[in-house]
Amino acid sequence: MTYLDELNPTQREAAEHTEGPLMIIAGAGSGKTRVLTYRIAHIIEKGASPFSILALTFTNKAAREMKARIGKLVGDADAKALWMGTFHSVFARILRFEAEKLGYPKNFTIYDTDDSKGVIKEILKTFNLDDKVYKPSLVLNRISSAKNNLIGYKQYLSNPTYMTDDRASQKPMLGEVYEAYQKRLFRAGAMDFDDLLFNTNVLLRDFPDVLIKYQDKFKYILVDEYQDTNFSQYVIVKQLAARYENLCVVGDDAQSIYSFRGANIQNILNFEKDYPDVKKLFLEQNYRSTQNIVNAANSIISKNTEQFEKNVFTHNGVGEKIKILCSATDNEEGYKVANSIFNIKMNMQLPNAAFAILYRTNAQSRAFEEGFRKLNIPYRIYGGVSFYQRKEIKDVLAYFRLAINPNDDQSMRRVINYPARGIGQSTIDKISVLAADNDASIFTVIDNLHDFNPEINAGTAGKLKDFAAMVKSFGNIATQQDAFETANHIINSTGILRDLNKEKTPEEISRVENVEELLSAVKGFIETERTPQEEELKQDIVEQQVPNTEDLFAQQADTGIKTIDEFMQEIALLTDADKNKDDEHADKISLMTIHASKGLEFPYVYIVGLEENLFPSQMALMDKSDLEEERRLFYVAVTRAEKQAFLSYAERRFKYGNPVFCEASRFIDEIDSQYLEYPDGGDKPKERLVDFNGGGETSYQKNYTKTSNIDLLKPKQASPVLKRNLVSTNKINTQAAPVDAQAIKSIKEGTLVQHDKFGNGTVLALEGDFPNIKATIQFDLGGQKQLLLKYAKLKVV
DNA sequence: AGCCCCGGTGAAGTC
DNA sequence: CACCGGGGCT
């Protein structure tokens, strides 16, 4: 038990309080992971089986690292036996063994967002709906948030509020699209990410024996990052914990930054209502950062209204003040930050890994990359297009998926004619219609062609049959051989590699390399042991004496072969943090979004692009609660820093190809100025009126003037839209509602407006929801146009 | 069937 | 500006 002595009294209390509900509010850098690992180790040492402990983390990486640390305390065998992972991966694993109760095959496919969007597009086609009105991404968001709130399509269709909302937003068919979407996925034997949680809830709700089984099994439940759980996850946890109530949730309401995907901060704020006898502990001592950083962060978060009272403090040194960097343009920001890093690195003899650049949006990385390249400093970008998103990889994976589940229509469409085998669009259309009409999958149709009487010539029918036979043969191999053999076979017999090797362009060569890399990932996969959880579940199945002798999992339990099916399960649930292929140990500067930086720490942190409309983002400015979330995001960013933080902004920045004047972010002003150091060395913001005419014309200005097609450089004619950018960059209007919004809202039907290009016009009609209002305008000269108000920069005449 | 060019459109964060 | 999808051409 000596390791418990390494904890401070509150931490230790948290680790030793193992029975009953416990809520740990853990401030940034307060040693949360340490407490969690010690707590779990402690539970095991007290005699609990690791199989009875369920620990839900935010990323698989976090789970992996925590397991490794627990392994050091209690031994790897016990650590490996823990049920630890993301909500999605843990419950996907359980669903594999219970899905048939819900009518899904146990080898169901997990659809990613691209798959989902594809399904929506097809539905829109069959319903003859305009995909500009029913934007797939919006439709999907709507469906997703319904599912995260446990609203199935039947409830959705019978809910008057949803129906009214959808009619009001000109999308009365949304409920029907939801229904069709769900039915298509079911037919394809597929679940999307939200279904994994939704269906887990259905399972626990409708099958009391299953609920009891898992309630009994999980005697200890821990949930990390509880502030970012959604309703669906909340209900799962509540159900599973109902028996023992040994439930420990850990989180920091100040770091809740995922409401856009349904996370509900109320889950943590209301925890004590659900469990009145909860033990509440506050970890308030920060071990990560200097006093300046901790105090500055406190002053930021104090502006929020919804939060637990807490007092984060540190005994670390005072440290350097937070430095403000101001650049003329986004490009200059890149050089300035790169130079600043270079200087500190040289002066203090630090490794590159001591520095991180955090931004609001991925698109901001470019300027910094250039800066680092000029100075020859190695860097690494987190996020972006992941390996598994690449076209050639998705093609190969589609074959893998078909081998496992031939009814997976999205994969079927992807490769039915890739590499080309003479199955054209019109043929695909015909069989798609047949499939939809008969509520069958595409595979079912082509595998039983003569039953469906398609109007297809004999030659094409033969090709379809051949393809169906190939898919079937892949299926056989997939169940009998290991993942690597299957993958090899599929890649070779489909001719994908041949297709990629046709041309020797650098692009194609890198594609071949990617496919080879995928193969070696499969190889690596079969060489690792299967997890104890899989064995446990399989054992469970065997004990239940599943009668079906062809049962895939029973077979695997016998042979011990790791199949392609298991490989796909694993990669379908990787989080972006897990997908980074770059080697982690190389000494590089890290560039990432603030969201991606959650849970990480760096000695020197540069938070860049601190400008109104960028951070806080334009979208967040519309809504007070969004602004609070944005502020929490800023809090997360600042608290990543150990030694020093830098805040950088640019006065001009290219957005959508146009130069835009920027105003320093209100967040800078919100920090108590005693913790800040401005560029001129003072502790007060410099008066920075934007000077349009005076001063030498820099090359930047020339550049901007040339490419600008809007009136940014003529303040005299400033429209309401532009006015905001012309005000002094100090406090003045940071509290006021954005002028953008007002300008947009002031436009009604019949309003006379002026447009840069089209001249004067009259608004005929408006449609869509703010801020995406589209206006139909009759221009005196330019005729009738449809314009999006948020882009159109209209002036009211 | 495949390629190219054009025009339109979008630009936050993610399992 | 960068990307995507559609349409048209070969």
Side-chain angles (χ1 to χ4, degrees), chain A residues 138-147 156 162 165-166 174:
Chain A
L138 289 182
V139 174
L140 195 56
N141 269 337
R142 185 97 173 146
I143 293 175
S144 169
S145 86
K147 283 187 198 170
Y156 190 101
Y162 285 119
D165 281 4
D166 288 348
L174 255 175

Side-chain angles (χ1 to χ4, degrees), chain A residues 480-542:
Chain A
Q480 284 157 22
Q481 302 196 12
D482 73 34
F484 184 67
E485 289 163 342
T486 308
N488 240 333
H489 177 86
I490 288 178
I491 288 170
N492 289 320
S493 57
T494 51
I496 288 182
L497 268 191
R498 217 173 312 125
D499 186 72
L500 289 178
N501 268 321
K502 267 196 310 222
E503 288 167 57
K504 292 278 180 246
T505 63
E507 223 178 16
E508 298 242 295
I509 290 171
S510 113
R511 291 198 167 149
V512 173
E513 283 169 2
N514 285 336
V515 172
E516 279 160 1
E517 191 176 337
L518 177 67
L519 262 182
S520 62
V522 176
K523 181 97 187 163
F525 173 78
I526 61 162
E527 282 166 357
T528 56
E529 280 172 55
R530 184 177 286 130
T531 63
Q533 288 78 22
E534 299 292 338
E535 301 291 1
E536 188 198 16
L537 284 171
K538 268 162 208 158
Q539 201 50 46
D540 203 33
I541 296 278
V542 174

